[in-house]
Amino acid sequence: MRKRIWKEFYEYLTYDYYGRRRWRPAAYGLLAAVAVILGMMLAAGIFALQAPPAAPQPVPTFAPPTATAIAARIATATASAPPTPTPAPLCPDDPRLWQLVEMRPFLDPQTEQPVQMLKPTYRIEPPCVYQGLWRDVAHYLFMSDPPTPTVKKWVRDVPWYWSPEPDFVYRDFFAYRPTAQSYYYDREGWRIDEVITPFTAVWTGDPDYPVLVYLYRDFADAAYGIHWKDGRIEGVWPVILHGGQVMRRVDEVLYDAQGKRWVTGDYRAIYVRMFHTVPEDGSWMWETYGIRGFRRSELAEVFGMKEILPERINPKEWTLGKPMKVGP
């Protein structure tokens, strides 16, 4: 077998020339290359045998670091380390960091899936934003240095939820600092402990006041209204309710992006259903919508406010104004 392989290799490198074998030209190149490779390997081996052995190198030794050196290294590392970023505030006051999340609190009885309302409502995330809102609402309700708008202006074309049309209509609101307000009493002349509920938040598109929150202010069995200014009552009028036992007033608060406070919104006119009646107050919404509301007395207690309105009035002592008729 070996003889056959060598014979084939020999016949591949040679050719027959009239009965004699002659080397092919390529065979001379192959034999020359093999000779050069063998020569280089032989020379490398000879040089390796003749080279003197390498002298052993001493292992370097270092003195143990002193306490001063260790402290210096720590100080250097601390100085060169990047500064730790300042943690973000617990509740962002920049509205660009807020989100308005659509609320779908009601389920379809057939599919048991959340139902999207025709006019969707929204809450602010993170919910801690409402803490600042309630603080400023308390200052307004109790006339205790309410926030002054940075820019006094009309915020235009804000979606209004209470028109009968299926689509939104849009209304304007003026950012201002209130100096007077109206309030409501029952048939016996007792001050009503109103129920205040955040209904929805909306983006306004206004750079100075980018977010508006609509508040429900509910007065059960309202029978008399008063106008309060400069620490005293300036007028009293009867309230006539039909279609519901609770008078609901829709208020607005606007977020002042420069002042970082919530300011009061005023109306251009009496908008549709700005006042209307409902069967019960909005406290049932607090758990359903996931946004906590307050009674007026609770708000005063939480923020340390002093009640400024008289606990009771005697309508007979006043010349009553034009009756205020409120329906659904």
Side-chain angles (χ1 to χ4, degrees):
M1 185 68 178
R2 291 183 178 179
K3 290 182 178 181
R4 183 178 176 182
I5 295 175
W6 284 111
K7 182 180 179 181
E8 291 180 356
F9 186 68
Y10 174 72
E11 289 178 352
Y12 176 77
L13 295 176
T14 62
Y15 65 97
D16 182 73
Y17 184 75
Y18 297 104
R20 298 180 63 182
R21 306 296 299 180
R22 289 192 175 185
W23 294 97
R24 297 179 186 273
Y28 291 105
L30 178 61
L31 294 174
V34 172
V36 170
I37 294 173
L38 293 175
M40 294 176 64
M41 294 175 62
L42 179 61
I46 293 173
F47 289 145
L49 292 174
Q50 293 180 351
Q57 298 295 322
V59 178
T61 59
F62 300 95
T66 64
T68 303
I70 293 174
R73 288 187 181 184
I74 294 175
T76 302
T78 304
S80 60
T84 303
T86 302
L90 295 178
C91 195
D93 57 10
D94 187 343
R96 292 174 297 182
L97 302 178
W98 303 350
Q99 291 182 335
L100 299 192
V101 179
E102 183 178 352
M103 297 183 287
R104 298 186 182 184
F106 307 110
L107 299 180
D108 186 315
Q110 296 181 351
T111 64
E112 296 186 353
Q113 296 298 316
V115 177
Q116 182 175 12
M117 292 183 286
L118 187 62
K119 296 178 180 179
T121 55
Y122 301 88
R123 69 171 181 267
I124 302 174
E125 292 287 345
C128 60
V129 172
Y130 287 96
Q131 298 175 8
L133 180 143
W134 288 120
R135 173 202 63 207
D136 295 335
V137 168
H139 280 281
Y140 155 60
L141 291 181
F142 297 96
M143 303 300 292
S144 175
D145 191 24
T148 300
T150 303
V151 181
K152 292 184 178 181
K153 63 184 294 189
W154 284 99
V155 179
R156 303 187 182 279
D157 298 326
V158 181
W160 178 255
Y161 277 73
W162 297 273
S163 58
E165 296 89 345
D167 297 327
F168 279 116
V169 297
Y170 296 87
R171 297 292 181 253
D172 303 336
F173 300 99
F174 188 75
Y176 82 115
R177 184 178 190 271
T179 57
Q181 62 175 290
S182 59
Y183 205 76
Y184 300 91
Y185 288 72
D186 66 16
R187 293 184 180 279
E188 303 299 324
W190 293 100
R191 184 182 64 240
I192 300 171
D193 194 11
E194 67 174 307
V195 175
I196 312 164
T197 303
F199 174 65
T200 187
V202 295
W203 297 114
T204 66
D206 188 288
D208 296 313
Y209 301 98
V211 180
L212 178 146
V213 171
Y214 286 114
L215 296 178
Y216 280 161
R217 298 180 60 187
D218 293 335
F219 301 87
D221 299 318
Y224 297 98
I226 69 167
H227 184 259
W228 179 265
K229 185 177 182 180
D230 296 331
R232 61 188 181 90
I233 297 176
E234 291 194 338
V236 179
W237 59 89
V239 176
I240 302 173
L241 305 181
H242 62 92
Q245 298 300 313
V246 177
M247 188 192 77
R248 172 165 291 170
R249 168 177 168 170
V250 182
D251 272 15
E252 315 80 37
V253 284
L254 297 154
Y255 187 71
D256 187 338
Q258 298 182 50
K260 310 299 183 185
R261 299 290 297 270
W262 294 88
V263 300
T264 307
D266 196 12
Y267 307 95
R268 181 180 290 275
I270 301 297
Y271 299 147
V272 174
R273 299 190 74 221
M274 181 187 304
F275 295 87
H276 59 276
T277 58
V278 291
E280 57 181 324
D281 64 50
S283 58
W284 66 269
M285 300 172 60
W286 300 354
E287 183 175 354
T288 303
Y289 281 70
I291 307 175
R292 176 74 162 84
F294 283 94
R295 293 186 177 274
R296 180 184 178 94
S297 57
E298 296 171 340
L299 204 61
E301 182 178 356
V302 169
F303 292 97
M305 297 293 172
K306 181 180 179 182
E307 181 58 73
I308 58 173
L309 301 176
E311 185 177 11
R312 193 173 187 183
I313 62 170
N314 184 1
K316 296 180 180 180
E317 297 178 353
W318 295 87
T319 300
L320 301 181
K322 184 178 179 181
M324 177 181 180
K325 299 180 180 180
V326 184

